[in-house]
Amino acid sequence: MTIDAALPSPPRRKRPSIFARIWAGQAGPVAVVCAAILGFWYVMCLPMNGDLPSMPPGGTLAERYAAAWALDRPVLPAPHQVLMELRTSTCGRLASEAAFPSAEFIGNFFSCEIRWTPRNLLFHAVVTVSSTLVGFGLGALLGIGLAVLIVHSVTLRKSLMPWIIASQTIPILAIAPIIIVVLANQGITGLLPKAIISAYLCFFPVAIGMVKGLNSPDVLSLDLMRTYNASRLETFLKLRLPAAVPFLFASLKVAIAISLVGAIVGELPSGATAGLGARMLSGSYYGQTVQIWAALFLAAFVAALMVALVGVIERGILKAMGARP
Amino acid sequence: MDAQQRNDKAQADAAARPVIEARDLSLTFETGDGPVYALSHVDLSVNEGEFVSFIGPSGCGKTTLLRVIADLEHATSGTITVNGLTPEQARLARQYGYVFQAPALYPWRTVIKNVMLPLEIMGMGRAEREERARRNLDLVNLAGFDKKFPWQLSGGMQQRASIARALSFDPKLLLMDEPFGALDEIVRDKLNEQLLRLWDDTGKTVVFVTHSIPEAVFLSTKIVVMSPRPGRIIDIIPCDFPRDRTLDIRETPEFLAVAHRVREGLRAGHSYDD
């Protein structure tokens, strides 16, 4: 008999139930917080909308809530109004007037045929996302480039660093119209001015993160390169750059989210007719609060999607670079 | 001088050819609290094929001396040559391999890629890089671990990988700065034996920094006892056990006598005072 066989085997653990596992993960707590926010939101609709002239006078509390949740131009639209606006502004009107709990309504809600017209909210999202991505690319390259210069030259660090920090103390809302006007004067309009505003915002976290990352190798690792008589370029490529990758991705996640903010802000003063920013602006002109909220939610969703995408790429690259699972 | 004489002389030179020669070497660090005399009037020579240990308490300058040899620090005064060159020339010619206190493996490289790092920098071809890396991983008993990342290895294995990396470009001189200091005694004993075999097989010159008396006596052909404030050499103790010694010699009276002399040297240098 081997020693192994003589040892008692560990007790087999019961597999936890699906509910226990959901609760142990992120889904459970997130769902609870979401439900609390939705509840609070529905409750607040009456205090916010109750004094509007479009509210019918009198009635019980239940009637007043029902009315407050169904206004055409509420101050605070109910969540389901925003959801319906998202549905109709992306896939067109529902096929019939059937109301919520019916099977017909649910069938209508999910049978979606996207018409690619400038009235479609997805069209606006694509316009904003394209300038976001161009701006993100420009900003990331600028940030990495600045970081490389700063790490390799004390003079550049001393001269550039104050300007980099000062650049972020200027409100983007103040500088965005200037950029739009100056570039329009040079005949540059459309996507590029918005992308530049995005880049202006998002180069900063990339530069700061990369400086930290490129400086992260310890003295030992740098001394090692010295004993091999490695050139600065080799030390950069084989030590500093790989060491900076985790820092870079942490910065890129911040950068892509604020790049979207930059693109939206860039659409406000430019008189743009397309883009999520333009939709928000026209919604506020015409008192279409539901439209603003729908654009807002789509923007948040798109930002979450882009951050998640960067996260997936990060995981893949870090895994290839031997990170602990 | 006839051919026979010349041959004899060449052999005699080879036997005692100095690899490292330091004369009146001093190094002072200027700090905010005033100067720190890290090394003070150090005279030392290390001959080819020797295994020389620097021993002393923390702050005695043993690591600093090793770093001066490696051109990682610069002496304030005095002269030092490495293979007849200045330390800088020797470093530029990649004449030594350096093993640090920590393995300093790059975490994003597999073990074999870590061992190949110096070879890449030297511009060696892919096939030769790989062949040399495998040979040196074999030498430190890490064959089969080439595709692993450093975190998948134990501390002792990581340090062995870093020794393989230092050996990969076949330097004649190996500088080791407390390479086993962070390991437990059982692993350390095993690695000491392996290092001794390696030194015996390859005929390298090894300069080894340690603060363990048994380690120094077991490994060395020459022990340099140092003392702090200022960092200076107290005693140089020859230690000529057979090259194929095993851990068993640590119980012999000869071994204990050398260890006693090292301890006396440390005491004379006030190493045990506060």
Side-chain angles (χ1 to χ4, degrees):
Chain A
M1 197 168 73
T2 64
I3 293 171
D4 280 349
L7 290 169
S9 59
R12 189 175 285 267
R13 265 201 291 170
K14 216 182 92 196
R15 195 181 155 90
S17 74
I18 179 119
F19 297 108
R21 272 182 291 143
I22 288 174
W23 186 248
Q26 281 186 348
V30 168
V32 167
V33 171
C34 282
I37 291 172
L38 278 176
F40 181 67
W41 187 348
Y42 271 113
V43 168
M44 287 308 287
C45 281
L46 184 58
M48 295 299 286
N49 301 334
D51 296 333
L52 287 177
S54 50
M55 278 289 283
T60 64
L61 191 65
E63 282 164 1
R64 287 186 65 76
Y65 260 110
W69 289 339
L71 292 174
D72 215 16
R73 294 182 179 187
V75 172
L76 179 68
H80 68 267
Q81 287 181 295
V82 175
L83 187 65
M84 281 309 293
E85 170 68 16
L86 272 172
R87 165 66 181 71
T88 50
S89 60
T90 52
C91 312
R93 299 215 163 277
L94 294 187
S96 72
E97 293 279 310
F100 165 58
S102 70
E104 193 186 347
F105 171 86
I106 290 167
N108 285 338
F109 190 88
F110 289 107
S111 70
C112 182
E113 189 196 333
I114 296 172
R115 275 211 205 102
W116 207 242
T117 67
R119 291 176 58 95
N120 193 322
L121 189 60
L122 290 178
F123 169 82
H124 294 275
V126 167
V127 168
T128 303
V129 166
S130 49
S131 65
T132 301
L133 292 179
V134 173
F136 173 68
L138 289 175
L141 285 179
L142 178 65
I144 294 170
L146 282 172
V148 171
L149 292 178
I150 286 168
V151 168
H152 282 99
S153 159
V154 179
T155 319
L156 283 176
R157 191 188 72 218
K158 286 180 179 164
S159 54
L160 286 178
M161 221 37 184
W163 289 106
I164 289 174
I165 290 165
S167 75
Q168 301 302 305
T169 63
I170 302 166
I172 191 66
L173 273 171
I175 206 162
I178 299 173
I179 293 173
I180 301 276
V181 169
V182 167
L183 288 178
N185 220 10
Q186 307 299 310
I188 303 167
T189 55
L191 184 143
L192 199 59
K194 292 195 286 173
I196 287 171
I197 292 166
S198 285
Y200 183 91
L201 279 183
C202 82
F203 89 91
F204 181 72
V206 176
I208 299 297
M210 272 307 268
V211 167
K212 204 171 157 58
L214 292 173
N215 278 329
S216 68
D218 54 13
V219 179
L220 237 54
S221 302
L222 287 164
D223 276 348
L224 188 69
M225 279 297 189
R226 206 172 136 77
T227 67
Y228 300 148
N229 183 20
S231 67
R232 280 184 125 187
L233 181 67
E234 282 160 334
T235 306
F236 178 76
L237 291 178
K238 293 187 191 299
L239 175 59
R240 289 188 188 275
L241 201 58
V245 168
F247 293 84
L248 175 65
F249 274 104
S251 298
L252 287 183
K253 280 194 229 169
V254 178
I256 200 158
I258 61 172
S259 181
L260 182 73
V261 172
I264 290 173
V265 168
E267 284 163 357
L268 299 180
S270 62
T273 50
L276 292 174
R279 272 290 269 236
M280 288 176 199
L281 199 63
S282 76
S284 82
Y285 276 151
Y286 301 112
Q288 294 284 359
T289 41
V290 186
Q291 186 186 318
I292 301 176
W293 280 88
L296 197 74
F297 268 79
L298 192 61
F301 179 71
V302 165
L305 208 65
M306 289 192 302
V307 172
L309 194 67
V310 174
V312 168
I313 296 169
E314 175 188 29
R315 223 167 304 148
I317 288 180
L318 290 187
K319 195 173 166 226
M321 287 175 67
R324 280 166 198 251
Chain B
M1 198 191 291
D2 65 15
Q4 178 60 41
Q5 271 178 317
R6 223 174 314 164
N7 203 19
D8 285 349
K9 190 169 184 316
Q11 271 177 359
D13 279 354
R17 211 179 69 190
V19 175
I20 298 165
E21 286 236 73
R23 291 284 161 266
D24 199 27
L25 198 69
S26 296
L27 194 157
T28 310
F29 291 114
E30 296 297 338
T31 69
D33 301 335
V36 172
Y37 301 100
L39 291 174
S40 174
H41 308 291
V42 167
D43 286 295
L44 177 75
S45 64
V46 174
N47 291 328
E48 192 168 357
E50 274 190 305
F51 196 123
V52 177
S53 290
F54 300 164
I55 189 167
S58 327
C60 72
K62 54 196 194 298
T63 294
T64 308
L65 181 52
L66 198 69
R67 288 175 65 87
V68 170
I69 296 168
D71 190 40
L72 296 173
E73 306 282 358
H74 301 285
T76 337
S77 66
T79 58
I80 179 162
T81 58
V82 178
N83 283 333
L85 308 168
T86 66
E88 189 184 4
Q89 288 166 333
R91 177 175 67 81
L92 297 182
R94 291 148 178 158
Q95 291 199 337
Y96 64 83
Y98 201 105
V99 180
F100 292 91
Q101 282 165 336
L105 300 171
Y106 291 178
W108 53 85
R109 285 176 167 254
T110 56
V111 169
I112 192 161
K113 286 247 172 83
N114 264 296
V115 176
M116 292 193 314
L117 175 70
L119 309 178
E120 279 174 32
I121 290 169
M122 287 164 199
M124 200 174 279
R126 190 178 182 81
E128 192 182 356
R129 274 202 317 252
E130 201 159 324
E131 188 272 320
R132 274 175 179 248
R134 284 194 195 285
R135 181 149 44 84
N136 283 293
L137 281 174
D138 269 353
L139 210 58
V140 296
N141 298 325
L142 277 179
F145 290 93
D146 50 339
K147 293 279 190 297
K148 293 262 188 278
F149 282 101
W151 64 269
Q152 293 168 301
L153 267 53
S154 70
M157 290 162 94
Q158 288 184 19
Q159 198 52 280
R160 262 149 54 197
S162 94
I163 292 170
R165 181 180 57 189
L167 292 172
S168 65
F169 55 100
D170 207 20
K172 290 230 158 43
L173 174 61
L174 201 55
L175 305 176
M176 306 180 87
D177 183 6
E178 294 185 40
F180 310 135
L183 305 174
D184 66 68
E185 202 170 336
I186 300 163
V187 174
R188 180 193 281 231
D189 279 353
K190 195 167 157 53
L191 291 188
N192 278 344
E193 265 196 316
Q194 288 180 356
L195 178 61
L196 203 63
R197 285 296 88 70
L198 207 126
W199 165 71
D200 193 17
D201 291 345
T202 57
K204 306 228 180 269
T205 311
V206 181
V207 182
F208 189 93
V209 168
T210 181
H211 48 219
S212 157
I213 296 171
E215 188 173 66
V217 179
F218 175 67
L219 289 172
S220 312
T221 58
K222 192 153 97 186
I223 301 168
V224 177
V225 182
M226 298 182 70
S227 102
R229 286 178 292 273
R232 63 193 190 283
I233 293 176
I234 297 287
D235 196 2
I236 295 180
I237 304 165
C239 182
D240 36 17
F241 298 109
R243 286 178 75 100
D244 57 350
R245 67 196 87 154
T246 60
L247 284 168
D248 301 334
I249 67 154
R250 291 190 301 185
E251 267 92 74
T252 62
E254 293 85 355
F255 185 95
L256 295 175
V258 177
H260 178 75
R261 194 174 152 192
V262 173
R263 200 167 281 119
E264 284 302 308
L266 290 170
R267 192 166 288 140
H270 303 286
S271 295
Y272 293 99
D273 299 351
D274 255 319

